Amino acid sequence: MRILFLTHGFNSLTQRLYAELTARGHEVSVEFDIADSVSEEAVALWRPDLILAPFLKRAIPESIWKHHLCWVVHPGIVGDRGPSALDWAIQEGANVWGVTVLQAEAEMDAGPIWATQNFPLRRARKASVYRQEATEAALAAVLSALERLERGEKPTPLSEWPNARGQLRPSMKQVDRAIAWQKDDTQTVLGKIDAADGFPGVADSLFDQPCHLYDAWPEERLRGEPGAVIARRATALCRATVDGALWIGHVKRAGGIKLPATIAYAKESAGVPEVPLDGWWASEHATWQDIRYEEDGAIGWLHFDFYNGAMGTEQCQRLLDAFLWATQRPTRVIVLMGGRDFWSNGIHLNLIENAPSPADESWANINAIDDLAEAIIRCESHLTVAALGGNAGAGGCFLARACDEVWVKDGVVLNPHYKNMGNLFGSEFWTYSLPPRVGAEGAAMIMHHRLPMLAREAVQCGFYDAVLPAPTFRVDIARRAQELAAAWAQRRADKRAQRAADEAQKPLATYRAEELAQMRRNFYGFDPSYHVARWHFVSKTPHSWTPRHLARHRM
Ligand code: COA
């Protein structure tokens, strides 16, 4: 089928549907919802059999839905309507939620139903549920709707749907989200921040200055006056509640961008007592710990749950310290687990934007992530595995490839290219790791197409090593890591020999120097594209046109 995506942006869910439908042989083109006339033009150019709206912030124009088959992917159960579907479900603690594919009609989200898919609602951040369960459910619902369409079936009107529980809900306002620090218990505060994460956050204040709160973590031990900031650790701040405490990882100050809490409030947090953890071992009680290490026999598990997968200079340095420490342990395999939602999205563009000299900070950050990648590549004591249970983008995809093995969960979406960020050349040793696996031509194609890649495509083309089914991902990586540990002696000898041969042919330092010479040009050179693109990215500038590599109808 010829399908046109009409969407507010090419976000994670849209990318997943795009890649899955393309892989099934559908011809998909994308138009961002900018103006009715632009959407009408896209429809006229692409002449789609179906228009799919996977992520839309306003209704499809009547001039389009009246004459074409249009489906809206709504992140809610049958009957649910309104723009804050997931927000209400999470804040009110629903146990089950869903995604529904509806036919677009005059009233938003009220058209007849093509398919729906429910899922158990995890107690987690909205963005996390959206990227994981809601995305899986959306794919299942869209595929089942397509099957119904192919069978010539008609959609079911809402009035005929048995036991529709959903209802019309208003847009959630900040008054609905407001935290009453003298009254709300920890679970309630966590629920409110989770329901608003990553957008719009909860409007609150810190150090008597207004801000939005994000990235909350429970804390089991610390206590204090409800609402008071009682501790800091690395980049997070701990606040007391009426019955305990929680950590705030990120905030957005009025007029600012989203930043780690102690950086957004650098001066104010300087006086807050630092409560460090004792080393890298996973804490036994709930607390803020972005890097944590666990061990099971010959296997070391290194988790790094960095918000949004962004890895700033200091985070890379701390992760390097943790990795080097892990290599001193009497284990044989180190599994780099990343975080639940993202494995890594490369250098931290918000911290770079916030720095006095973004060029200098970009340079420091790329060197810090390269130091980490280099330590992994040069590691001789252990076999290393990157286990991607969450999406990865740009440098994050290549940081993973620094490991001896890369295992990826089915459903993960990868963006192994840099050019979308103002034509960045990229580093993380991609020129060393990519071509031998996919060939020079394959590498050029991946870099230039700038399109998302499914986990199974990454394995098919040889970039990554194994795609593992989502439901058994943890069990499978544990089993595979044990097998690797059993083959350690031979594998380690092979790895050393390969590394020595590679080094003799072209030293790793040369790859790094060549990549960094290009990056230096991106950061300090005449062409400001990277700085402009980064500014648009962190400021979330609305799209004013659809990139050509997505809008195939405009090629
Ligand atoms: N630095 C800082 N923030 C980042 C980031 C990075 N490298 N990558 C993603 N984010 C943030 C986004 O700003 C967004 O923030 P929000 O919580 O305020 O909404 C959040 O992570 C999710 O990103 P989003 O773009 O909405 O997710 P997605 O799943 O739709 O898209 C990517 C994923 C990786 C394609 C996209 O985020 C991206 O292009 N990131 C930049 C990658 C990059 O160029 N890195 C630098 C070169 S190494």
Side-chain angles (χ1 to χ4, degrees):
M1 281 176 83
R2 284 171 79 79
I3 302 177
L4 180 71
F5 278 18
L6 194 54
T7 181
H8 179 74
F10 201 48
N11 71 346
S12 51
L13 188 151
T14 311
Q15 292 181 21
R16 177 79 187 281
L17 291 177
Y18 176 92
E20 295 277 4
L21 294 181
T22 306
R24 284 167 175 77
H26 298 290
E27 285 186 84
V28 185
S29 189
V30 180
E31 184 69 45
F32 289 163
D33 179 31
I34 291 160
D36 291 359
S37 58
V38 181
S39 304
E40 286 160 8
E41 187 184 65
V43 173
L45 288 170
W46 191 240
R47 286 181 280 109
D49 305 309
L50 169 69
I51 296 165
L52 187 67
F55 167 46
L56 215 50
K57 295 206 168 172
R58 58 183 201 128
I60 297 178
E62 186 174 335
S63 57
I64 295 181
W65 64 257
K66 270 232 158 121
H67 307 288
H68 301 270
L69 178 62
C70 296
W71 290 354
V72 176
V73 179
H74 176 70
I77 52 174
V78 169
D80 179 85
R81 278 155 289 158
S84 305
L86 263 175
D87 309 50
W88 288 113
I90 292 173
Q91 186 148 317
E92 292 176 353
N95 290 321
V96 173
W97 201 238
V99 174
T100 305
V101 176
L102 315 125
Q103 185 156 322
E105 283 194 350
E107 191 188 340
M108 205 164 166
D109 304 333
I113 295 141
W114 278 94
T116 188
Q117 179 75 34
N118 284 357
F119 53 85
L121 186 57
R122 188 163 45 98
R123 297 277 162 269
R125 295 172 191 163
K126 176 176 64 167
S128 177
V129 174
Y130 184 81
R131 284 189 193 107
Q132 307 257 354
E133 288 87 345
T135 296
E136 290 300 333
L139 174 63
V142 166
L143 293 179
S144 117
L146 283 170
E147 281 170 19
R148 284 190 71 183
L149 183 66
E150 276 159 23
R151 287 198 299 267
E153 293 178 22
K154 295 268 171 281
T156 313
L158 177 57
S159 56
E160 289 170 24
W161 195 273
N163 310 320
R165 287 187 298 114
Q167 45 180 307
L168 174 63
R169 304 294 307 261
S171 166
M172 192 184 268
K173 302 280 182 314
Q174 283 297 343
V175 300
D176 305 310
R177 304 185 190 271
I179 297 169
W181 288 100
Q182 304 304 322
K183 193 169 122 243
D184 289 347
D185 62 14
T186 308
Q187 283 313 315
T188 307
V189 180
L190 281 171
K192 286 180 174 176
I193 300 177
D194 280 350
D197 211 336
F199 179 83
V202 174
D204 200 86
S205 63
L206 267 170
F207 306 105
D208 293 325
Q209 293 162 63
C211 66
H212 284 71
L213 308 178
Y214 309 84
D215 185 21
W217 300 52
E219 163 59 46
E220 237 167 61
R221 298 212 171 143
L222 301 173
R223 296 287 179 271
E225 276 295 303
V229 176
I230 52 174
R232 59 174 287 166
R233 180 175 304 145
T235 53
L237 290 171
C238 186
R239 263 181 112 166
T241 60
V242 287
D243 65 341
L246 51 82
W247 292 87
I248 305 291
H250 279 72
V251 301
K252 185 151 95 71
R253 293 184 67 168
I257 56 174
K258 210 187 263 187
L259 289 170
T262 59
I263 293 180
Y265 287 101
K267 238 186 330 155
E268 296 82 351
S269 357
V272 177
E274 174 87 26
V275 184
L277 285 170
D278 189 14
W280 304 111
W281 290 100
S283 161
E284 281 170 6
H285 64 276
T287 192
W288 184 89
Q289 189 176 24
D290 59 349
I291 300 176
R292 68 195 161 84
Y293 177 82
E294 295 168 304
E295 209 167 88
D296 180 14
I299 320 296
W301 302 88
L302 190 55
H303 303 262
F304 39 105
D305 204 354
F306 298 138
Y307 189 67
N308 284 337
M311 294 173 58
T313 306
E314 198 235 306
Q315 286 160 313
C316 292
Q317 288 165 346
R318 286 198 297 121
L319 186 53
L320 174 60
D321 288 348
F323 175 75
L324 293 176
W325 173 85
T327 63
Q328 303 303 309
R329 298 286 310 155
T331 50
R332 292 181 165 186
V333 175
I334 299 172
V335 186
L336 285 95
M337 294 291 290
R340 181 171 181 128
D341 292 326
F342 291 107
W343 195 84
S344 167
N345 278 330
I347 57 177
H348 201 311
L349 300 168
N350 289 42
L351 283 177
I352 289 169
E353 191 64 39
N354 184 57
S357 161
D360 288 352
E361 185 52 34
S362 302
W363 183 249
N365 201 161
I366 199 71
N367 274 284
I369 204 166
D370 277 4
D371 287 346
L372 174 61
E374 187 166 346
I376 298 171
I377 295 170
R378 290 192 190 279
C379 172
E380 293 202 336
S381 56
H382 286 68
L383 297 172
T384 54
V385 177
L388 278 70
N391 295 348
C397 295
F398 299 100
L399 179 64
R401 192 56 278 177
C403 292
D404 301 316
E405 292 277 330
V406 186
W407 304 334
V408 54
K409 188 169 87 174
D410 194 18
V412 159
V413 176
L414 306 160
N415 276 280
H417 44 79
Y418 300 87
K419 289 207 177 300
N420 286 344
M421 197 52 62
N423 256 332
L424 268 189
F425 182 80
S427 190
E428 293 94 1
F429 298 91
W430 75 266
T431 55
Y432 170 64
S433 62
L434 187 60
R437 292 181 182 267
V438 301
E441 229 172 81
M445 227 167 68
I446 291 173
M447 286 291 170
H448 291 289
H449 278 184
R450 300 187 274 155
L451 288 170
M453 188 187 261
L454 294 172
R456 43 183 188 277
E457 292 169 340
V459 173
Q460 264 159 19
C461 76
F463 179 40
Y464 286 171
D465 302 296
V467 54
L468 305 173
T472 53
F473 183 64
R474 278 305 295 259
V475 179
D476 286 350
I477 47 178
R479 179 183 43 78
R480 285 174 150 262
Q482 292 295 352
E483 288 165 7
L484 211 51
W488 173 76
Q490 186 57 51
R491 285 286 305 254
R492 195 172 73 130
D494 294 348
K495 164 176 160 169
R496 283 181 172 179
Q498 181 67 50
R499 180 84 278 287
D502 288 352
E503 191 68 18
Q505 203 180 28
K506 178 171 170 179
L508 207 51
T510 308
Y511 286 99
R512 180 169 173 156
E514 287 171 359
E515 288 175 4
L516 287 180
Q518 297 276 357
M519 288 299 257
R520 183 172 268 286
R521 217 166 291 158
N522 289 137
F523 300 154
Y524 294 100
F526 175 71
D527 175 2
S529 300
Y530 156 70
H531 297 290
V532 174
R534 190 193 60 243
W535 184 82
H536 285 303
F537 182 82
V538 305
S539 327
K540 308 209 178 296
T541 316
H543 299 289
S544 51
W545 53 286
T546 310
R548 287 290 180 270
H549 67 282
L550 299 177
R552 291 174 59 195
H553 50 281
R554 296 188 192 281
M555 273 179 186

